[in-house]
Amino acid sequence: MADSSSPKPTAGSNTPNDTGFIPGDDTFTKWRNIFTILTGQMSAEGRQQYLDAKDIRDEAADCRRCENHRDYLLKYSPVIRFLQDNIKQLGGDISNHNVYCRRCPQRQAGGFDPDFGIKICANQVRTQSHLEDTIAHEMIHAYDHLRFKVDWHTNMRHAACAEIRASSLSGECRWATEFFTRGQWKLTQQHQECVRRRAALSVSARPLCRDEKHARQIVDEVWDSCFRDTRPFDEIYR
């Protein structure tokens, strides 16, 4: 579903605006924008305009690709199927009817809402493996919501604990992802540092969080018990 508030690309224009971005859908304009980005001639604002226009243009294809990968993972991924079974044991149901692929204006991979289900940001998901980690992350949130009655809105410690567990157990902090995708090259304590960093980043985006320092403080307060808790898994295996 297109977001009417996002800027629409204007076909046929070859005049760059003051940020260096050139509106347009034709092949020449697309490559001209890419070249401008690669050579450092486009500002950060222009690059954001380019990405927004690209997301709008590719929305249908991105969502189809996301839905195909989603259906495959729900059927064949061991971690997704395991989490599905454990969620069902708690009276919940996560399947293709409430895992939605959508275009997101925010730079995030997905989100969980107890009433809505799981939203996957199709324009942010890079690969099927990235989607598997994202769905697993949000399914761990769903499990925690049912198992622990998480207060998502007013209890910062609950939210921090949920983010620690989801980042630790989903696979998003595996060594290869950190090393090759995010440029985190430390060889020791890599998993723990990734979990802390990503949990604090998620907590800092919540309305009750004052700033990044406050987010790190909340994560530290619940770290020991929440990082050790691997339910419904026996251990961290991804």
Side-chain angles (χ1 to χ4, degrees), residues 168-198:
S168 180
L169 301 173
S170 64
E172 66 188 47
C173 280
R174 65 169 65 85
W175 184 87
T177 301
E178 279 285 276
F179 189 90
F180 294 109
T181 303
R182 304 187 187 116
Q184 301 293 326
W185 298 331
K186 292 189 66 174
L187 299 178
T188 60
Q189 297 293 309
Q190 175 272 342
H191 179 80
Q192 290 91 329
E193 290 194 13
C194 172
V195 173
R196 282 184 185 275
R197 185 183 72 249
R198 294 180 68 80

PDB file of all heavy atoms in Angstrom, residues 168-198:
ATOM      1  N   SER A 168      19.291 -11.636  20.771  1.00  0.00           N
ATOM      2  CA  SER A 168      20.182 -12.746  21.097  1.00  0.00           C
ATOM      3  C   SER A 168      19.759 -14.046  20.432  1.00  0.00           C
ATOM      4  O   SER A 168      20.604 -14.820  19.964  1.00  0.00           O
ATOM      5  CB  SER A 168      20.228 -12.932  22.620  1.00  0.00           C
ATOM      6  OG  SER A 168      21.074 -13.995  22.975  1.00  0.00           O
ATOM      7  N   LEU A 169      18.449 -14.307  20.379  1.00  0.00           N
ATOM      8  CA  LEU A 169      17.958 -15.624  19.968  1.00  0.00           C
ATOM      9  C   LEU A 169      17.566 -15.708  18.499  1.00  0.00           C
ATOM     10  O   LEU A 169      17.431 -16.810  17.964  1.00  0.00           O
ATOM     11  CB  LEU A 169      16.749 -16.010  20.829  1.00  0.00           C
ATOM     12  CG  LEU A 169      17.010 -16.086  22.336  1.00  0.00           C
ATOM     13  CD1 LEU A 169      15.701 -16.304  23.086  1.00  0.00           C
ATOM     14  CD2 LEU A 169      18.007 -17.199  22.650  1.00  0.00           C
ATOM     15  N   SER A 170      17.387 -14.588  17.830  1.00  0.00           N
ATOM     16  CA  SER A 170      16.867 -14.609  16.455  1.00  0.00           C
ATOM     17  C   SER A 170      17.905 -15.005  15.421  1.00  0.00           C
ATOM     18  O   SER A 170      17.564 -15.438  14.317  1.00  0.00           O
ATOM     19  CB  SER A 170      16.312 -13.226  16.091  1.00  0.00           C
ATOM     20  OG  SER A 170      17.368 -12.268  16.087  1.00  0.00           O
ATOM     21  N   GLY A 171      19.190 -14.824  15.732  1.00  0.00           N
ATOM     22  CA  GLY A 171      20.241 -15.074  14.754  1.00  0.00           C
ATOM     23  C   GLY A 171      20.799 -13.811  14.140  1.00  0.00           C
ATOM     24  O   GLY A 171      21.792 -13.861  13.413  1.00  0.00           O
ATOM     25  N   GLU A 172      20.210 -12.672  14.437  1.00  0.00           N
ATOM     26  CA  GLU A 172      20.657 -11.424  13.815  1.00  0.00           C
ATOM     27  C   GLU A 172      22.028 -10.984  14.312  1.00  0.00           C
ATOM     28  O   GLU A 172      22.676 -10.148  13.689  1.00  0.00           O
ATOM     29  CB  GLU A 172      19.640 -10.309  14.062  1.00  0.00           C
ATOM     30  CG  GLU A 172      19.506  -9.900  15.506  1.00  0.00           C
ATOM     31  CD  GLU A 172      18.340  -8.933  15.728  1.00  0.00           C
ATOM     32  OE1 GLU A 172      17.233  -9.207  15.220  1.00  0.00           O
ATOM     33  OE2 GLU A 172      18.551  -7.934  16.408  1.00  0.00           O
ATOM     34  N   CYS A 173      22.483 -11.561  15.442  1.00  0.00           N
ATOM     35  CA  CYS A 173      23.791 -11.204  15.978  1.00  0.00           C
ATOM     36  C   CYS A 173      24.825 -12.312  15.774  1.00  0.00           C
ATOM     37  O   CYS A 173      25.847 -12.332  16.478  1.00  0.00           O
ATOM     38  CB  CYS A 173      23.677 -10.846  17.458  1.00  0.00           C
ATOM     39  SG  CYS A 173      23.086  -9.151  17.750  1.00  0.00           S
ATOM     40  N   ARG A 174      24.576 -13.203  14.854  1.00  0.00           N
ATOM     41  CA  ARG A 174      25.591 -14.220  14.558  1.00  0.00           C
ATOM     42  C   ARG A 174      26.863 -13.557  14.049  1.00  0.00           C
ATOM     43  O   ARG A 174      26.826 -12.475  13.452  1.00  0.00           O
ATOM     44  CB  ARG A 174      25.056 -15.244  13.551  1.00  0.00           C
ATOM     45  CG  ARG A 174      24.751 -14.679  12.193  1.00  0.00           C
ATOM     46  CD  ARG A 174      24.480 -15.799  11.169  1.00  0.00           C
ATOM     47  NE  ARG A 174      23.273 -16.539  11.502  1.00  0.00           N
ATOM     48  CZ  ARG A 174      22.047 -16.165  11.138  1.00  0.00           C
ATOM     49  NH1 ARG A 174      21.875 -15.020  10.471  1.00  0.00           N
ATOM     50  NH2 ARG A 174      21.008 -16.888  11.424  1.00  0.00           N
ATOM     51  N   TRP A 175      27.978 -14.219  14.237  1.00  0.00           N
ATOM     52  CA  TRP A 175      29.293 -13.630  13.939  1.00  0.00           C
ATOM     53  C   TRP A 175      29.397 -13.213  12.480  1.00  0.00           C
ATOM     54  O   TRP A 175      29.880 -12.115  12.172  1.00  0.00           O
ATOM     55  CB  TRP A 175      30.393 -14.630  14.286  1.00  0.00           C
ATOM     56  CG  TRP A 175      31.769 -14.066  14.094  1.00  0.00           C
ATOM     57  CD1 TRP A 175      32.500 -13.344  15.003  1.00  0.00           C
ATOM     58  CD2 TRP A 175      32.563 -14.140  12.902  1.00  0.00           C
ATOM     59  NE1 TRP A 175      33.705 -12.977  14.459  1.00  0.00           N
ATOM     60  CE2 TRP A 175      33.781 -13.454  13.173  1.00  0.00           C
ATOM     61  CE3 TRP A 175      32.385 -14.728  11.657  1.00  0.00           C
ATOM     62  CZ2 TRP A 175      34.798 -13.338  12.230  1.00  0.00           C
ATOM     63  CZ3 TRP A 175      33.401 -14.615  10.704  1.00  0.00           C
ATOM     64  CH2 TRP A 175      34.587 -13.920  11.000  1.00  0.00           C
ATOM     65  N   ALA A 176      28.977 -14.062  11.558  1.00  0.00           N
ATOM     66  CA  ALA A 176      29.137 -13.761  10.130  1.00  0.00           C
ATOM     67  C   ALA A 176      28.362 -12.513   9.721  1.00  0.00           C
ATOM     68  O   ALA A 176      28.844 -11.704   8.926  1.00  0.00           O
ATOM     69  CB  ALA A 176      28.696 -14.959   9.284  1.00  0.00           C
ATOM     70  N   THR A 177      27.159 -12.350  10.261  1.00  0.00           N
ATOM     71  CA  THR A 177      26.359 -11.160   9.939  1.00  0.00           C
ATOM     72  C   THR A 177      27.037  -9.902  10.444  1.00  0.00           C
ATOM     73  O   THR A 177      27.124  -8.892   9.737  1.00  0.00           O
ATOM     74  CB  THR A 177      24.952 -11.282  10.543  1.00  0.00           C
ATOM     75  OG1 THR A 177      24.314 -12.452  10.028  1.00  0.00           O
ATOM     76  CG2 THR A 177      24.103 -10.064  10.202  1.00  0.00           C
ATOM     77  N   GLU A 178      27.521  -9.943  11.679  1.00  0.00           N
ATOM     78  CA  GLU A 178      28.212  -8.793  12.241  1.00  0.00           C
ATOM     79  C   GLU A 178      29.480  -8.461  11.445  1.00  0.00           C
ATOM     80  O   GLU A 178      29.766  -7.309  11.148  1.00  0.00           O
ATOM     81  CB  GLU A 178      28.590  -9.076  13.705  1.00  0.00           C
ATOM     82  CG  GLU A 178      27.466  -8.870  14.681  1.00  0.00           C
ATOM     83  CD  GLU A 178      27.192  -7.404  14.925  1.00  0.00           C
ATOM     84  OE1 GLU A 178      27.867  -6.796  15.770  1.00  0.00           O
ATOM     85  OE2 GLU A 178      26.308  -6.861  14.251  1.00  0.00           O
ATOM     86  N   PHE A 179      30.241  -9.489  11.095  1.00  0.00           N
ATOM     87  CA  PHE A 179      31.539  -9.279  10.448  1.00  0.00           C
ATOM     88  C   PHE A 179      31.387  -8.795   9.014  1.00  0.00           C
ATOM     89  O   PHE A 179      31.993  -7.800   8.607  1.00  0.00           O
ATOM     90  CB  PHE A 179      32.339 -10.588  10.483  1.00  0.00           C
ATOM     91  CG  PHE A 179      33.770 -10.439  10.039  1.00  0.00           C
ATOM     92  CD1 PHE A 179      34.764 -10.144  10.962  1.00  0.00           C
ATOM     93  CD2 PHE A 179      34.129 -10.603   8.715  1.00  0.00           C
ATOM     94  CE1 PHE A 179      36.086 -10.004  10.563  1.00  0.00           C
ATOM     95  CE2 PHE A 179      35.447 -10.456   8.308  1.00  0.00           C
ATOM     96  CZ  PHE A 179      36.429 -10.160   9.233  1.00  0.00           C
ATOM     97  N   PHE A 180      30.551  -9.483   8.228  1.00  0.00           N
ATOM     98  CA  PHE A 180      30.490  -9.208   6.798  1.00  0.00           C
ATOM     99  C   PHE A 180      29.460  -8.144   6.416  1.00  0.00           C
ATOM    100  O   PHE A 180      29.610  -7.480   5.388  1.00  0.00           O
ATOM    101  CB  PHE A 180      30.204 -10.495   6.014  1.00  0.00           C
ATOM    102  CG  PHE A 180      31.313 -11.500   6.082  1.00  0.00           C
ATOM    103  CD1 PHE A 180      31.164 -12.664   6.807  1.00  0.00           C
ATOM    104  CD2 PHE A 180      32.513 -11.272   5.431  1.00  0.00           C
ATOM    105  CE1 PHE A 180      32.192 -13.604   6.869  1.00  0.00           C
ATOM    106  CE2 PHE A 180      33.553 -12.188   5.492  1.00  0.00           C
ATOM    107  CZ  PHE A 180      33.388 -13.358   6.221  1.00  0.00           C
ATOM    108  N   THR A 181      28.416  -7.971   7.215  1.00  0.00           N
ATOM    109  CA  THR A 181      27.343  -7.043   6.857  1.00  0.00           C
ATOM    110  C   THR A 181      27.455  -5.710   7.571  1.00  0.00           C
ATOM    111  O   THR A 181      27.215  -4.654   6.982  1.00  0.00           O
ATOM    112  CB  THR A 181      25.963  -7.664   7.161  1.00  0.00           C
ATOM    113  OG1 THR A 181      25.851  -8.909   6.461  1.00  0.00           O
ATOM    114  CG2 THR A 181      24.839  -6.737   6.713  1.00  0.00           C
ATOM    115  N   ARG A 182      27.837  -5.743   8.860  1.00  0.00           N
ATOM    116  CA  ARG A 182      27.822  -4.517   9.659  1.00  0.00           C
ATOM    117  C   ARG A 182      29.214  -3.970   9.957  1.00  0.00           C
ATOM    118  O   ARG A 182      29.348  -2.955  10.611  1.00  0.00           O
ATOM    119  CB  ARG A 182      27.072  -4.758  10.971  1.00  0.00           C
ATOM    120  CG  ARG A 182      25.640  -5.268  10.762  1.00  0.00           C
ATOM    121  CD  ARG A 182      24.863  -5.342  12.065  1.00  0.00           C
ATOM    122  NE  ARG A 182      23.574  -5.972  11.843  1.00  0.00           N
ATOM    123  CZ  ARG A 182      23.212  -7.133  12.385  1.00  0.00           C
ATOM    124  NH1 ARG A 182      24.033  -7.780  13.185  1.00  0.00           N
ATOM    125  NH2 ARG A 182      22.024  -7.657  12.121  1.00  0.00           N
ATOM    126  N   GLY A 183      30.257  -4.686   9.505  1.00  0.00           N
ATOM    127  CA  GLY A 183      31.610  -4.187   9.711  1.00  0.00           C
ATOM    128  C   GLY A 183      32.067  -4.194  11.152  1.00  0.00           C
ATOM    129  O   GLY A 183      32.928  -3.411  11.551  1.00  0.00           O
ATOM    130  N   GLN A 184      31.494  -5.102  11.971  1.00  0.00           N
ATOM    131  CA  GLN A 184      31.911  -5.250  13.367  1.00  0.00           C
ATOM    132  C   GLN A 184      32.922  -6.392  13.417  1.00  0.00           C
ATOM    133  O   GLN A 184      32.554  -7.562  13.330  1.00  0.00           O
ATOM    134  CB  GLN A 184      30.692  -5.538  14.258  1.00  0.00           C
ATOM    135  CG  GLN A 184      29.624  -4.472  14.216  1.00  0.00           C
ATOM    136  CD  GLN A 184      30.099  -3.164  14.831  1.00  0.00           C
ATOM    137  OE1 GLN A 184      30.870  -3.149  15.774  1.00  0.00           O
ATOM    138  NE2 GLN A 184      29.614  -2.048  14.290  1.00  0.00           N
ATOM    139  N   TRP A 185      34.192  -6.074  13.586  1.00  0.00           N
ATOM    140  CA  TRP A 185      35.256  -7.046  13.351  1.00  0.00           C
ATOM    141  C   TRP A 185      35.902  -7.605  14.612  1.00  0.00           C
ATOM    142  O   TRP A 185      36.944  -8.245  14.549  1.00  0.00           O
ATOM    143  CB  TRP A 185      36.320  -6.403  12.451  1.00  0.00           C
ATOM    144  CG  TRP A 185      35.771  -6.024  11.118  1.00  0.00           C
ATOM    145  CD1 TRP A 185      34.742  -6.620  10.445  1.00  0.00           C
ATOM    146  CD2 TRP A 185      36.194  -4.942  10.279  1.00  0.00           C
ATOM    147  NE1 TRP A 185      34.492  -6.000   9.255  1.00  0.00           N
ATOM    148  CE2 TRP A 185      35.375  -4.957   9.121  1.00  0.00           C
ATOM    149  CE3 TRP A 185      37.181  -3.973  10.395  1.00  0.00           C
ATOM    150  CZ2 TRP A 185      35.514  -4.041   8.096  1.00  0.00           C
ATOM    151  CZ3 TRP A 185      37.332  -3.054   9.362  1.00  0.00           C
ATOM    152  CH2 TRP A 185      36.509  -3.095   8.239  1.00  0.00           C
ATOM    153  N   LYS A 186      35.319  -7.362  15.762  1.00  0.00           N
ATOM    154  CA  LYS A 186      35.888  -7.919  16.981  1.00  0.00           C
ATOM    155  C   LYS A 186      35.695  -9.434  17.012  1.00  0.00           C
ATOM    156  O   LYS A 186      34.678  -9.958  16.549  1.00  0.00           O
ATOM    157  CB  LYS A 186      35.230  -7.295  18.207  1.00  0.00           C
ATOM    158  CG  LYS A 186      35.550  -5.828  18.408  1.00  0.00           C
ATOM    159  CD  LYS A 186      35.050  -5.332  19.742  1.00  0.00           C
ATOM    160  CE  LYS A 186      35.804  -6.001  20.884  1.00  0.00           C
ATOM    161  NZ  LYS A 186      35.435  -5.417  22.191  1.00  0.00           N
ATOM    162  N   LEU A 187      36.662 -10.137  17.583  1.00  0.00           N
ATOM    163  CA  LEU A 187      36.615 -11.593  17.614  1.00  0.00           C
ATOM    164  C   LEU A 187      36.146 -12.134  18.957  1.00  0.00           C
ATOM    165  O   LEU A 187      35.796 -13.305  19.063  1.00  0.00           O
ATOM    166  CB  LEU A 187      38.000 -12.167  17.281  1.00  0.00           C
ATOM    167  CG  LEU A 187      38.540 -11.816  15.893  1.00  0.00           C
ATOM    168  CD1 LEU A 187      39.934 -12.410  15.707  1.00  0.00           C
ATOM    169  CD2 LEU A 187      37.601 -12.314  14.804  1.00  0.00           C
ATOM    170  N   THR A 188      36.142 -11.302  19.996  1.00  0.00           N
ATOM    171  CA  THR A 188      35.696 -11.754  21.312  1.00  0.00           C
ATOM    172  C   THR A 188      34.510 -10.917  21.771  1.00  0.00           C
ATOM    173  O   THR A 188      34.415  -9.729  21.475  1.00  0.00           O
ATOM    174  CB  THR A 188      36.832 -11.632  22.350  1.00  0.00           C
ATOM    175  OG1 THR A 188      37.247 -10.265  22.447  1.00  0.00           O
ATOM    176  CG2 THR A 188      38.024 -12.494  21.938  1.00  0.00           C
ATOM    177  N   GLN A 189      33.611 -11.556  22.501  1.00  0.00           N
ATOM    178  CA  GLN A 189      32.415 -10.904  23.048  1.00  0.00           C
ATOM    179  C   GLN A 189      31.573 -10.244  21.954  1.00  0.00           C
ATOM    180  O   GLN A 189      30.806  -9.315  22.220  1.00  0.00           O
ATOM    181  CB  GLN A 189      32.805  -9.860  24.097  1.00  0.00           C
ATOM    182  CG  GLN A 189      33.494 -10.437  25.321  1.00  0.00           C
ATOM    183  CD  GLN A 189      32.586 -11.308  26.159  1.00  0.00           C
ATOM    184  OE1 GLN A 189      31.489 -10.904  26.518  1.00  0.00           O
ATOM    185  NE2 GLN A 189      33.027 -12.518  26.465  1.00  0.00           N
ATOM    186  N   GLN A 190      31.711 -10.732  20.731  1.00  0.00           N
ATOM    187  CA  GLN A 190      31.005 -10.111  19.610  1.00  0.00           C
ATOM    188  C   GLN A 190      29.492 -10.244  19.773  1.00  0.00           C
ATOM    189  O   GLN A 190      28.746  -9.291  19.557  1.00  0.00           O
ATOM    190  CB  GLN A 190      31.476 -10.738  18.294  1.00  0.00           C
ATOM    191  CG  GLN A 190      30.747 -10.275  17.064  1.00  0.00           C
ATOM    192  CD  GLN A 190      29.503 -11.118  16.781  1.00  0.00           C
ATOM    193  OE1 GLN A 190      29.359 -12.229  17.291  1.00  0.00           O
ATOM    194  NE2 GLN A 190      28.610 -10.584  15.985  1.00  0.00           N
ATOM    195  N   HIS A 191      29.031 -11.445  20.133  1.00  0.00           N
ATOM    196  CA  HIS A 191      27.588 -11.672  20.239  1.00  0.00           C
ATOM    197  C   HIS A 191      26.982 -10.771  21.315  1.00  0.00           C
ATOM    198  O   HIS A 191      25.969 -10.101  21.082  1.00  0.00           O
ATOM    199  CB  HIS A 191      27.319 -13.138  20.563  1.00  0.00           C
ATOM    200  CG  HIS A 191      25.866 -13.464  20.712  1.00  0.00           C
ATOM    201  ND1 HIS A 191      25.036 -13.670  19.631  1.00  0.00           N
ATOM    202  CD2 HIS A 191      25.082 -13.600  21.811  1.00  0.00           C
ATOM    203  CE1 HIS A 191      23.816 -13.924  20.053  1.00  0.00           C
ATOM    204  NE2 HIS A 191      23.814 -13.890  21.376  1.00  0.00           N
ATOM    205  N   GLN A 192      27.595 -10.732  22.482  1.00  0.00           N
ATOM    206  CA  GLN A 192      27.070  -9.918  23.570  1.00  0.00           C
ATOM    207  C   GLN A 192      27.050  -8.439  23.205  1.00  0.00           C
ATOM    208  O   GLN A 192      26.074  -7.733  23.507  1.00  0.00           O
ATOM    209  CB  GLN A 192      27.909 -10.126  24.838  1.00  0.00           C
ATOM    210  CG  GLN A 192      27.750 -11.504  25.469  1.00  0.00           C
ATOM    211  CD  GLN A 192      28.774 -12.503  24.942  1.00  0.00           C
ATOM    212  OE1 GLN A 192      29.202 -12.400  23.790  1.00  0.00           O
ATOM    213  NE2 GLN A 192      29.159 -13.446  25.782  1.00  0.00           N
ATOM    214  N   GLU A 193      28.101  -7.957  22.574  1.00  0.00           N
ATOM    215  CA  GLU A 193      28.149  -6.535  22.221  1.00  0.00           C
ATOM    216  C   GLU A 193      27.099  -6.195  21.172  1.00  0.00           C
ATOM    217  O   GLU A 193      26.494  -5.118  21.213  1.00  0.00           O
ATOM    218  CB  GLU A 193      29.554  -6.170  21.719  1.00  0.00           C
ATOM    219  CG  GLU A 193      30.595  -6.187  22.823  1.00  0.00           C
ATOM    220  CD  GLU A 193      31.891  -5.508  22.413  1.00  0.00           C
ATOM    221  OE1 GLU A 193      31.894  -4.810  21.372  1.00  0.00           O
ATOM    222  OE2 GLU A 193      32.881  -5.673  23.138  1.00  0.00           O
ATOM    223  N   CYS A 194      26.877  -7.112  20.220  1.00  0.00           N
ATOM    224  CA  CYS A 194      25.833  -6.892  19.215  1.00  0.00           C
ATOM    225  C   CYS A 194      24.465  -6.814  19.874  1.00  0.00           C
ATOM    226  O   CYS A 194      23.662  -5.928  19.577  1.00  0.00           O
ATOM    227  CB  CYS A 194      25.866  -8.023  18.181  1.00  0.00           C
ATOM    228  SG  CYS A 194      24.483  -8.002  17.020  1.00  0.00           S
ATOM    229  N   VAL A 195      24.187  -7.745  20.777  1.00  0.00           N
ATOM    230  CA  VAL A 195      22.886  -7.763  21.453  1.00  0.00           C
ATOM    231  C   VAL A 195      22.681  -6.485  22.256  1.00  0.00           C
ATOM    232  O   VAL A 195      21.619  -5.860  22.189  1.00  0.00           O
ATOM    233  CB  VAL A 195      22.765  -9.009  22.356  1.00  0.00           C
ATOM    234  CG1 VAL A 195      21.482  -8.931  23.194  1.00  0.00           C
ATOM    235  CG2 VAL A 195      22.770 -10.284  21.519  1.00  0.00           C
ATOM    236  N   ARG A 196      23.693  -6.065  23.007  1.00  0.00           N
ATOM    237  CA  ARG A 196      23.587  -4.827  23.781  1.00  0.00           C
ATOM    238  C   ARG A 196      23.319  -3.632  22.869  1.00  0.00           C
ATOM    239  O   ARG A 196      22.462  -2.791  23.153  1.00  0.00           O
ATOM    240  CB  ARG A 196      24.888  -4.577  24.560  1.00  0.00           C
ATOM    241  CG  ARG A 196      25.060  -5.400  25.816  1.00  0.00           C
ATOM    242  CD  ARG A 196      26.330  -4.978  26.523  1.00  0.00           C
ATOM    243  NE  ARG A 196      26.634  -5.801  27.667  1.00  0.00           N
ATOM    244  CZ  ARG A 196      26.146  -5.611  28.889  1.00  0.00           C
ATOM    245  NH1 ARG A 196      25.321  -4.607  29.105  1.00  0.00           N
ATOM    246  NH2 ARG A 196      26.498  -6.405  29.887  1.00  0.00           N
ATOM    247  N   ARG A 197      24.072  -3.549  21.788  1.00  0.00           N
ATOM    248  CA  ARG A 197      23.960  -2.404  20.876  1.00  0.00           C
ATOM    249  C   ARG A 197      22.582  -2.340  20.239  1.00  0.00           C
ATOM    250  O   ARG A 197      21.933  -1.286  20.217  1.00  0.00           O
ATOM    251  CB  ARG A 197      25.035  -2.503  19.793  1.00  0.00           C
ATOM    252  CG  ARG A 197      25.090  -1.307  18.848  1.00  0.00           C
ATOM    253  CD  ARG A 197      26.123  -1.504  17.755  1.00  0.00           C
ATOM    254  NE  ARG A 197      25.719  -2.482  16.762  1.00  0.00           N
ATOM    255  CZ  ARG A 197      26.297  -3.656  16.611  1.00  0.00           C
ATOM    256  NH1 ARG A 197      27.312  -4.019  17.390  1.00  0.00           N
ATOM    257  NH2 ARG A 197      25.868  -4.508  15.686  1.00  0.00           N
ATOM    258  N   ARG A 198      22.106  -3.471  19.735  1.00  0.00           N
ATOM    259  CA  ARG A 198      20.832  -3.477  19.031  1.00  0.00           C
ATOM    260  C   ARG A 198      19.648  -3.320  19.996  1.00  0.00           C
ATOM    261  O   ARG A 198      18.651  -2.685  19.665  1.00  0.00           O
ATOM    262  CB  ARG A 198      20.709  -4.750  18.198  1.00  0.00           C
ATOM    263  CG  ARG A 198      21.743  -4.790  17.070  1.00  0.00           C
ATOM    264  CD  ARG A 198      21.630  -6.057  16.232  1.00  0.00           C
ATOM    265  NE  ARG A 198      20.407  -6.101  15.468  1.00  0.00           N
ATOM    266  CZ  ARG A 198      20.200  -5.463  14.325  1.00  0.00           C
ATOM    267  NH1 ARG A 198      21.163  -4.706  13.809  1.00  0.00           N
ATOM    268  NH2 ARG A 198      19.057  -5.581  13.681  1.00  0.00           N
TER     269      ARG A 198
END
